Amino acid sequence: MRTLEIILLVIITILPFLKRGFLKKIAKKNIMFFLSGLVLLHLIIDGYRWQMIPTYLLTLILVWCLYKEYPFFDGGWIRKTIRGIALILLLLFGWALPYILPVFNLPRPTGKHNIGSQYIHLKSTQDEIMTSDVGDKRELMIKVWYPAILDNEKTESYLNEGDRVSFAVKHGLPKTIFNYLDIVKTHTYIKPSVAIGKFPVLIFSHGSYSQASGYYALIEEIVSHGYIVLNINHTYESTGTLFPDGEIKLFNSEYDRKQNNQEMAEMAWNAMQDYNKATTPEEQFKTVHNLILNYYGAELTERYSNDISLVIDELKKWNTSTFLAHHLDTTKIGVFGHSQGGAAAGQALLDDGRIKAGINVDGMQWGKIIDTKMTKPFTLISSEWDDLHPNLNIHAYHNGSSSDFYNAKILNSGHSSFMDIPLMINLPFINEAGTIHPRKAYEVTTNIVLQFFDLYLLDKHSNLLELSNKYPELELTKKTIKKLPNTVR
């Protein structure tokens, strides 16, 4: 919560319990004007947000009581009880709502570059398989984050309308519920010029059914250190995609239900039952081989990987005829992503020879990786999964790598520790971010990402392996995973 909000809440919490004799020593007009002025100051400086409605309401009630010289707890015990319950409820919601859903501050980027963003609408010739419309072709919106030269541009609002509305629809909330995010200050400026020079290109892929650009804390920091990040919004796979004509294409739940069906559920259930009975790594591998190769996640991984290649196909054109002209170093392409997007990063590293290195951030690596191996530099960053969450990535990557393979685990983190969700929702048991401080998780993650790509895209000296000495929250190893003996083919 912000300072004025806390001051206002403290005063209205104490005021109803002050004795009448004490209040008489202070002119009621002074208290009324102070409260009214404090609310006005809050609205001017902080801005209105719906989380403060219980606070506004209780303030109005208290001002009215002062004006009428009407003690809040006057009357018989029934009246006192009713008013007491009402007061407790208003105070409970008054304190809880702005705390749980705060106007948060994004981490300040530490790199030397300012950050700009623009959108590119990619229209492909590939059929759109996720709709039944005849002739429908795959279209993507790409948010381009880049090092910028500023000339009085304004910072953008946190999340565009497509991300906000679709996130509300996902959770059955009013579409305007996230309007308060206009108050959140980003460090990304609207359409400034790209900084002088060529920059390495990182393609970022989001998690399934998540906000495509809900990763400001990570991406702003990375861009500030001299990378261009192409943030793909996988149409029908994110919560929603906003197109230039104002249309928002939401997550295609119908297609998802048809593909991620009862057969898939039974496949996962049976595999996990057998997995839990297995007594050796070799037996465990046999129980999940078919699951990793053929589960619905493998289809998603292939589809996301295809989108990544569609973007790479356009880089040459964008490097000559868009605001990015002559700023893309297309010889230095990396890919990273979170959750399903992390799996896509691993898959794209296999599928597309133009990608030099990749990072999977807490994604289960479904698909054909189980029958092959990595041949390019790769990092798997994991949250600290609990014992009930089987680590199938051990088996997905069982063939190891002929190149450098890093395995990083951030202790006490959760699956959403790599998103902005822990900032938006300030309750760990809801935001699934573990017990690590969100800013510490971002700091560790961005350091891994930057050190890794600095080394393998820019040939810079890297202290990647030393990060585990710097951060006690990090377990980091570099290895080629040994092939398990007697595995099936």
Side-chain angles (χ1 to χ4, degrees):
M1 286 187 286
R2 295 167 292 178
T3 302
L4 289 174
E5 294 175 351
I6 294 173
I7 293 173
L8 183 58
L9 275 162
V10 168
I11 291 172
I12 66 172
T13 300
I14 296 173
L15 194 58
F17 300 97
L18 293 179
K19 293 182 179 180
R20 189 180 304 182
F22 178 81
L23 291 174
K24 284 182 177 180
K25 294 179 182 179
I26 307 173
K28 67 176 184 179
K29 288 184 178 179
N30 292 340
I31 302 176
M32 290 168 57
F33 282 129
F34 180 76
L35 277 176
S36 301
L38 189 59
V39 171
L40 183 62
L41 194 63
H42 153 70
L43 292 173
I44 293 173
I45 296 177
D46 292 339
Y48 162 83
R49 59 178 179 132
W50 64 265
Q51 294 95 321
M52 292 292 291
I53 288 177
T55 302
Y56 302 147
L57 179 58
L58 185 53
T59 303
L60 182 63
I61 292 171
L62 293 176
V63 168
W64 181 82
C65 288
L66 286 167
Y67 176 73
K68 291 290 188 178
E69 296 185 350
Y70 188 73
F72 192 86
F73 286 111
D74 198 15
W77 70 270
I78 295 178
R79 186 175 296 179
K80 288 180 180 179
T81 300
I82 293 173
R83 289 173 183 169
I85 292 172
L87 175 65
I88 290 171
L89 289 175
L90 284 173
L91 286 175
L92 180 63
F93 284 104
W95 281 99
L97 288 176
Y99 173 79
I100 295 171
L101 299 171
V103 175
F104 55 88
N105 294 316
L106 289 163
R108 182 171 294 279
T110 64
K112 67 179 183 179
H113 293 282
N114 293 306
I115 304 156
S117 79
Q118 298 188 45
Y119 288 89
I120 292 178
H121 183 189
L122 191 162
K123 298 181 179 181
S124 80
T125 58
Q126 293 187 6
D127 291 335
E128 178 55 80
I129 66 170
M130 297 186 69
T131 67
S132 57
D133 299 337
V134 177
D136 195 11
K137 302 297 181 181
R138 185 72 171 158
E139 297 183 37
L140 301 171
M141 289 302 299
I142 317 299
K143 183 174 182 179
V144 184
W145 311 63
Y146 54 89
I149 299 174
L150 303 183
D151 185 20
N152 297 318
E153 289 85 5
K154 296 181 179 179
T155 54
E156 68 182 19
S157 297
Y158 179 78
L159 298 181
N160 66 31
E161 192 69 9
D163 283 323
R164 294 186 189 184
V165 169
S166 60
F167 192 51
V169 170
K170 174 182 178 178
H171 295 285
L173 301 170
K175 293 183 179 180
T176 58
I177 197 167
F178 295 112
N179 286 354
Y180 75 92
L181 293 176
D182 287 338
I183 307 172
V184 174
K185 303 299 182 184
T186 72
H187 306 102
T188 301
Y189 291 82
I190 303 171
K191 296 184 177 181
S193 299
V194 184
I196 297 171
K198 282 191 172 184
F199 300 95
V201 179
L202 300 180
I203 299 172
F204 179 78
S205 179
H206 60 79
S208 178
Y209 205 5
S210 67
Q211 300 153 296
S213 58
Y215 298 84
Y216 275 75
L218 296 186
I219 295 178
E220 286 187 336
E221 172 67 6
I222 292 166
V223 174
S224 77
H225 286 270
Y227 286 88
I228 290 176
V229 174
L230 305 179
N231 184 178
I232 299 177
N233 189 325
H234 298 280
T235 312
Y236 303 118
E237 312 272 18
S238 66
T239 54
T241 310
L242 176 65
F243 284 89
D245 61 0
E247 181 184 10
I248 299 174
K249 294 183 178 180
L250 300 174
F251 178 78
N252 193 328
S253 55
E254 181 181 356
Y255 181 88
D256 184 74
R257 281 194 300 270
K258 288 181 179 178
Q259 303 302 314
N260 194 14
N261 51 28
Q262 182 64 28
E263 179 184 352
M264 292 293 157
E266 291 176 358
M267 179 192 298
W269 170 262
N270 292 333
M272 287 299 94
Q273 294 302 302
D274 293 338
Y275 181 87
N276 291 330
K277 296 175 185 176
T279 58
T280 67
E282 293 80 10
E283 290 178 358
Q284 288 180 336
F285 176 87
K286 292 178 181 179
T287 65
V288 297
H289 177 267
N290 181 64
L291 177 70
I292 292 173
L293 191 62
N294 295 305
Y295 185 63
Y296 178 55
E299 178 187 330
L300 286 176
T301 303
E302 291 279 0
R303 194 157 59 240
Y304 274 43
S305 175
N306 180 70
D307 283 350
I308 291 170
S309 290
L310 284 177
V311 170
I312 297 175
D313 291 343
E314 300 293 316
L315 293 185
K316 184 176 181 181
K317 181 176 70 176
W318 294 349
N319 209 19
T320 58
S321 60
T322 68
F323 65 93
L324 292 171
H326 313 299
H327 293 293
L328 299 173
D329 189 341
T330 56
T331 66
K332 297 171 181 174
I333 301 173
V335 62
F336 71 120
H338 173 239
S339 192
Q340 183 59 54
Q347 185 65 47
L349 202 59
L350 294 175
D351 294 342
D352 200 311
R354 296 166 293 185
I355 302 172
K356 305 302 181 186
I359 298 176
N360 175 353
V361 182
D362 213 34
M364 171 56 214
Q365 192 66 63
W366 304 107
K368 62 187 180 184
I369 184 64
I370 196 168
D371 285 338
T372 183
K373 65 180 178 181
M374 287 296 177
T375 59
K376 302 172 190 174
F378 183 72
T379 293
L380 172 65
I381 302 175
S382 299
S383 61
E384 187 170 15
W385 297 354
D386 60 43
D387 294 337
L388 298 177
H389 191 308
N391 187 1
L392 299 187
N393 275 337
I394 292 175
H395 302 288
Y397 297 118
H398 80 109
N399 278 320
S401 175
S402 59
S403 185
D404 292 339
F405 190 114
Y406 297 85
N407 201 328
K409 179 163 67 172
I410 301 179
L411 303 179
N412 301 316
S413 65
H415 189 59
S416 69
S417 292
F418 312 98
M419 310 173 70
D420 297 338
I421 292 294
L423 299 177
M424 292 181 66
I425 304 173
N426 196 21
L427 282 180
F429 71 90
I430 293 178
N431 63 32
E432 298 181 350
T435 58
I436 191 172
H437 194 285
R439 293 174 188 275
K440 179 58 68 174
Y442 301 143
E443 180 183 347
V444 176
T445 305
T446 52
N447 267 280
I448 296 170
V449 172
L450 287 168
Q451 293 275 3
F452 176 82
F453 286 123
D454 280 355
L455 177 61
Y456 293 104
L457 294 187
L458 302 180
D459 295 322
K460 288 184 178 180
H461 172 72
S462 171
N463 295 318
L464 183 56
L465 286 175
E466 297 176 14
L467 288 177
S468 56
N469 297 324
K470 180 179 180 181
Y471 296 111
E473 302 86 356
L474 174 64
E475 293 180 355
L476 176 63
T477 57
K478 175 185 176 183
K479 58 184 177 181
T480 298
I481 300 177
K482 295 181 179 180
K483 180 179 177 181
L484 295 172
N486 301 322
T487 56
V488 297
R489 275 286 181 251

